[in-house]
Structure formats: structure tokens, C-alpha cells
Amino acid sequence: MARSAIMNVMVQAALKGGRSLTRDFGEVQNLQVSLKGPGDYVSQADKKAENIIFNELQRARPDYSFLMEESGTIAGSDDQHRFIIDPLDGTTNFLHGIPIFAVSIALERQGQIVAGVIYNPALDELYTAERGSGVFLNDRRLRVAGRRKLEDCVIATGIPHLGRGKHGQYLVELRNVMGEVAGIRRMGAAALDLASVAAGRFDAFWESDLQPWDMAAGLLMVREAGGFVSDMSGGQDIFASKSVVAGNEFIHPALLQTLKKPV
Ligand code: 2AM
Ligand code: CA
């Protein structure tokens, strides 16, 4: 698998950020027993990883712009290129010592996502995608799963929690989907959920109230694996609507329809 120069830069940044997270994750596991918990420690770990990733990318591409979960927007002299960075997707998992979290880095060119890297350091799983060149998990090229019937499918989702999302509407969606599928999973890291759709582990995924950095790299991966992505209304306003539905050509439309079934 030949990687472009920019992909090499993004991979190095993700690996370096991931190594920092791994070191801090060890300490987080020890802090579970403390009364206060590892909250402050995790915020620091998150910011530290973001700084490492930012420094790596900015050194290689000093003109590019940035959108980052922790530091927000940094305008570069080149506004045609923008890195979109989530240094720690799956923060709640990380905080609780659950090894399902990832670094996510995407590159947008003129508003289009052209490259993406998602790295889960706990499993040492590195997903890479370039527009038009496919998506890989480590060295293996990925394809979305081929299932055609919802009843055979394992569907991933994100459940809105305290202070977030429309809980009533979500329960309707969940009720609609659970009656028609083989299983539902809630992993708690949207970037990894999308990567897992690309890898054919999940047949589809839906979630609302997500940010661009949760989704950018993963959206490209699903597309490059031959899958379909949309917002909850079936359109392409994914960032603006903050919602995503992803799956193969059969399950994506079937899931969209099921989600919207009237009560
Ligand atoms: P995070 O771990 O980077 O916060 C979980 O349902 C998914 O929603 C995760 O990918 C999580 O990303 C994302 N998410 C986005 N905004 C969030 C918020 N305000 N609180 C918790 N999770 C959030
Ligand atoms: Ca995130």
C-alpha cells in the first residue's frame, strides 16, 4: 500500500498522539479507585495529545488551517486546506478505563474530505483512507459488509446522555431499529464506529449531535469502503445537521426508513 506524503505526515501525527494517550491511559486506569476520579487528568491528556498532533502537522504544513476539538479554529494562510482533529474520540471510555478510544485526523481540500486517519492505540489499529485510493486497516484493504437484510445486521449507534440530545426522539429511533435487526451496539466513539462500518464489523451506524471532528475521517472511510453516508434526512448536510447514518447500499436506505417510522 503506497501512502502519499501528506498521508505519511498524518499517520506519524496520529501514532505520536496515540502513544501519548497510551501512556496517560495507564495512569487513568490506576485513578479509577480515587474518589475524585481521573477527570482533570483526562482533560490534560486530551490537550497534550492535541498539541502533539498539531505540532507535527503544522511543522509539515505550516500554511494549512486547523479545526480542533480542544483548541478550536486556527486560520492558516492557506484556507483551501484544513486539518480536522479529534485528539481523543471516546473520552468517556478513556475516563473510565475502557480501551475503546481513538485519535482522528482528517484533511479537507476546498471543503471536501480527501484524507483521513483514525488510530486506536489500545488495539494498535490504524485506519487510513485517501479519496479515490480506498481505505485500509493496518495493511488490509477494507470493504463494507455485504448483508442485504436488516434482520441479519449488527447496527452501531450513539445514545444521547445527560444534558445532550433529544432523549424522547432517540427512544423512538431505538425502538424502531431494535425490532428489525440482529443486534445493536453502543461503543462510545463515533470515529471508531464509522471506521468499523468501513471494516464491515458493523453493518451500519447512526448518531445525532456529533461534531465535524467526530465524523470527518470516518465519513471518508465509509465512502472509500464502498458504503453510503448521509444525515438523518438522507441528505448530505452531515456537518450542519450534526447527524450521520452510514451503511452499505442496501442497509443505509433501509436504516434511514426504519429510523423515521412513525410511532
Ligand atoms: P468525544 O469522546 O470526543 O467527546 C459518543 O456518543 C460520541 O459522541 C463520541 O464520539 C463523542 O466524542 C461524541 N461527542 C460529541 N460531543 C459530545 C459531548 N458534548 N459529550 C459527549 N460526547 C460527545
Ligand atoms: Ca470526538
Side-chain angles (χ1 to χ4, degrees):
M1 169 197 30
R3 282 183 190 145
S4 69
I6 187 61
M7 180 52 79
N8 277 323
V9 167
M10 290 167 66
V11 165
Q12 287 317 311
L15 294 179
K16 209 165 165 183
R19 280 195 291 273
S20 174
L21 290 178
T22 300
R23 282 193 295 274
D24 287 333
F25 187 63
E27 184 58 22
V28 164
Q29 289 170 302
N30 296 331
L31 289 171
Q32 294 305 326
V33 290
S34 74
L35 202 58
K36 190 156 153 274
D40 293 345
Y41 190 85
V42 170
S43 313
Q44 290 307 314
D46 202 347
K47 291 197 183 82
K48 203 194 303 173
E50 186 166 281
N51 285 336
I52 289 169
I53 294 163
F54 173 71
N55 288 335
E56 282 289 304
L57 296 174
Q58 209 196 26
R59 195 155 49 96
R61 293 291 185 277
D63 299 340
Y64 284 16
S65 301
F66 286 81
L67 173 65
M68 296 175 276
E69 171 154 31
E70 302 302 322
S71 319
T73 300
I74 294 183
S77 57
D78 178 349
D79 60 3
Q80 302 294 298
H81 290 93
R82 180 167 76 148
F83 286 117
I84 303 177
I85 301 168
D86 190 345
L88 173 55
D89 186 50
T91 316
T92 305
N93 286 339
F94 190 91
L95 181 72
H96 286 257
I98 301 167
I100 302 172
F101 56 88
V103 172
S104 176
I105 304 173
L107 175 64
E108 218 180 45
R109 179 177 299 136
Q110 296 174 329
Q112 194 168 56
I113 304 155
V114 293
V117 174
I118 294 174
Y119 180 51
N120 174 348
L123 292 179
D124 198 25
E125 289 192 329
L126 177 72
Y127 297 85
T128 52
E130 287 190 78
R131 196 171 126 82
S133 304
V135 49
F136 296 82
L137 167 48
N138 297 331
D139 290 330
R140 182 168 63 90
R141 188 161 187 169
L142 300 179
R143 239 351 257 172
V144 288
R147 293 184 187 83
R148 293 182 177 212
K149 291 195 206 131
L150 268 181
E151 66 197 59
D152 298 326
C153 289
V154 169
I155 311 286
T157 185
I159 304 173
H161 51 78
L162 178 70
R164 204 178 144 225
K166 300 187 181 103
H167 294 193
Q169 184 187 318
Y170 181 77
L171 282 174
V172 172
E173 294 167 8
L174 185 62
R175 200 201 67 167
N176 285 346
V177 175
M178 72 179 152
E180 298 198 15
V181 302
I184 295 181
R185 298 291 181 272
R186 197 281 195 247
M187 307 296 276
L192 286 175
D193 288 327
L194 288 165
S196 299
V197 171
R201 292 176 178 176
F202 295 141
D203 296 285
F205 168 62
W206 94 94
E207 185 163 357
S208 297
D209 285 297
L210 292 173
Q211 300 292 336
W213 47 80
D214 301 318
M215 302 188 275
L219 294 173
L220 177 67
M221 289 177 189
V222 174
R223 290 191 191 115
E224 288 297 319
F228 286 67
V229 292
S230 73
D231 57 33
M232 288 287 247
S233 341
Q236 287 301 308
D237 291 328
I238 298 174
F239 287 175
S241 74
K242 299 179 170 236
S243 69
V244 65
V245 180
N248 72 21
E249 63 182 297
F250 309 104
I251 300 306
H252 173 265
L255 179 59
L256 264 177
Q257 203 178 16
T258 300
L259 285 167
K260 282 190 291 197
K261 257 189 348 193
V263 187

